[in-house]
Amino acid sequence: MIRILIVDDHHQFRARLKTLLESIEGWEVCAEAQDGVEAVEKHCSVRPHVTVMDFNMPQLNGLLASREILRKFPDATILLLTVFASPQLLVRAKGEGIKGFCSKTEVDCITLAIGSLLKGGTYFPESFTASA
């Protein structure tokens, strides 16, 4: 079973994303966190295969939380989600060691990205990598 940690400060988004991800055979949401601090704690305790991390959150944003997780677990697989998708943010995400990047508004992107990450790949939409 593939274990996924969802990190987002909006409960309704987490609930919708959990429903989507658990509709895929073999995937389960093993934990949820509502901010970056809780994300680091949960990641340490549940050791998910993939962490789906929102960028804009209270206390510790997704980039900083990802940096902390990757410092402790260099092999961690993180997919950054944001409504503020931009080439500049993509460059910063790659610089932190984040393996994938999706706009929260493109739900199909999220499942495609996770599938790619689970195969050891990366996922950075062409529309952003071309201008990054």
Side-chain angles (χ1 to χ4, degrees):
M1 188 67 71
I2 299 299
R3 295 181 325 278
I4 302 170
L5 168 62
I6 297 175
V7 184
D8 196 286
D9 57 327
H10 293 99
H11 173 74
Q12 290 175 333
F13 182 80
R14 286 196 320 268
R16 286 192 314 268
L17 187 55
K18 180 178 180 177
T19 299
L20 170 70
L21 297 179
E22 289 188 339
S23 73
I24 298 172
E25 186 175 342
W27 291 10
E28 73 171 344
V29 173
C30 62
E32 297 178 36
Q34 62 185 356
D35 61 51
V37 173
E38 188 179 14
V40 175
E41 293 169 0
K42 293 275 177 100
H43 191 279
C44 291
S45 65
V46 301
R47 297 294 309 269
H49 293 98
V50 177
T51 297
V52 179
M53 178 89 67
D54 185 23
F55 166 66
N56 191 25
M57 294 183 295
Q59 295 193 49
L60 195 61
N61 73 37
L63 285 178
L64 297 176
S66 296
R67 178 186 299 161
E68 185 64 21
I69 289 168
L70 289 163
R71 186 182 64 75
K72 293 178 181 188
F73 303 97
D75 61 337
T77 300
I78 300 172
L79 172 64
L80 186 69
L81 302 182
T82 183
V83 294
F84 306 106
S86 71
Q88 295 81 12
L89 181 56
L90 182 139
V91 168
R92 290 178 61 201
K94 282 182 171 182
E96 293 296 342
I98 292 169
K99 303 256 182 3
F101 179 89
C102 285
S103 170
K104 287 173 82 171
T105 60
E106 298 177 33
V107 176
D108 291 341
C109 171
I110 297 169
T111 56
L112 288 171
I114 292 172
S116 178
L117 299 182
L118 290 172
K119 293 176 185 171
T122 59
Y123 190 92
F124 298 100
E126 230 175 85
S127 58
F128 293 110
T129 56
S131 53

